[in-house]
Each structure stands twice: as C-alpha cells, then as structure tokens.
Amino acid sequence: EVTQTRIDTEAMVAEVLDELGDEIRRRNVRIEVGALTPVLADRHLKMVFRHLLMNGLLYRSGEGGFVSITCENRPAEKFSVFCIADDGFGIDPHFQQRVFELFERLHRWDEIPGTGLGLALCRRILKRFGGEIWYQSNEPKGSRFYFRVPTG
C-alpha cells in the first residue's frame, strides 16, 4: 500500500531544478515555473518531475529553448493537473501508443541516450496514488506532458 502525504510541489520542483542546474545551464534552456499546488502523493513524484524535465532538456535540436511547468487545480475533481511543456522536436504521432511502454525508445542510442524506461516509470508511479499521464505533441516542434495527481 502506498503511503500518501501532502507534497509541496513547488519545493519539490525547486529541488529538481537545483539538481539539474548544471545541465540546464549547459544547454542554455530557460525554465519557467508557474504556481504549483500541493498534492497527495509520495516521494516518488520527484522522479516524475525529474524525468519529464530531463526529457525537455534532452529532446531538442541545438542549444537554447524553454521548458515550462504549470499546474491547474481542479478542486471539484480533487485533482491537480500539471503540464511540462517544451519547444523541442516533438513526438511523431504514430508513436503515441508506444511512448509509455517499457524499453520503447524513439531514437537511436547514439542520437539521444536513454533506456526507454522513463515514461513507463512515470506512468507506474502516478498510477500508484491514483494519477495518470498523457501528452500532446506538435511534431516537429514541442511536446506537452500532462499528469494528474490527487489533492485530497
């Protein structure tokens, strides 16, 4: 059973951004963070933020760009919906069903490093406390990953 606690997502995202600071500066990516609401989750939520932010840094052509993190609180539904958006090169629509599967990689290892586990892990973590994840992509320019997390 999952022990859910109230998570300060603003503090959690600030911690992740601090940990990724060298990578953010090296890639010259501007990060914008909106107001984020507290949610009911566990410490593994940090891995979801970290993975989605790292994807926003990795999946781009060239240097520069932006990644934004926003949140929409939906009190009537008792959920908050987070969005991590980037201006990278997007996801081909015919990969839509595969992107959350284990070991699915959309790029060769020599193009972009990775294991193909990240998005599958994000989906599994979110399911543990009643959340879900999905995305929209405007290939060849940008992706938006959404996930919802209970607020209590």
Side-chain angles (χ1 to χ4, degrees):
E1 184 170 311
V2 178
T3 304
Q4 294 174 287
T5 58
R6 194 151 220 47
I7 301 289
D8 178 345
T9 56
E10 287 186 350
M12 183 175 275
V13 166
E15 192 176 314
V16 170
L17 290 174
D18 185 53
E19 292 169 5
L20 296 176
D22 289 342
E23 191 72 25
I24 292 166
R25 285 184 292 281
R26 188 172 73 76
R27 293 180 181 273
N28 193 31
V29 174
R30 185 172 41 97
I31 308 287
E32 297 174 358
V33 181
L36 307 178
T37 60
V39 296
L40 286 178
D42 66 19
R43 60 186 168 79
H44 294 104
L45 183 63
K46 182 178 178 182
M47 293 187 336
V48 173
F49 281 113
R50 183 181 177 85
H51 180 76
L52 294 175
L53 282 163
M54 197 62 198
N55 276 1
L57 298 175
L58 287 175
Y59 292 97
R60 55 190 340 93
S61 52
E63 300 298 314
F66 80 92
V67 175
S68 69
I69 306 166
T70 57
C71 178
E72 178 187 345
N73 189 20
R74 298 183 180 173
E77 299 172 32
K78 296 185 179 174
F79 275 91
S80 285
V81 177
F82 293 83
C83 176
I84 298 182
D86 65 60
D87 64 346
F89 46 74
I91 301 169
D92 188 316
H94 74 270
F95 290 118
Q96 188 167 0
Q97 297 304 315
R98 293 176 39 199
V99 75
F100 293 105
E101 298 300 319
L102 284 172
F103 304 111
E104 284 295 331
R105 291 185 38 82
L106 306 183
H107 303 276
R108 292 189 337 249
W109 173 259
D110 60 343
E111 294 175 321
I112 297 173
T115 60
L117 292 173
L119 291 174
L121 183 61
C122 288
R123 182 173 65 177
R124 183 164 282 178
I125 289 169
L126 291 164
K127 273 186 169 181
R128 288 181 60 222
F129 36 82
E132 62 181 320
I133 186 169
W134 66 97
Y135 78 95
Q136 295 174 333
S137 185
N138 298 317
E139 195 226 5
K141 194 71 170 163
S143 296
R144 284 184 156 74
F145 280 86
Y146 298 92
F147 61 93
R148 38 184 253 149
V149 183
T151 54

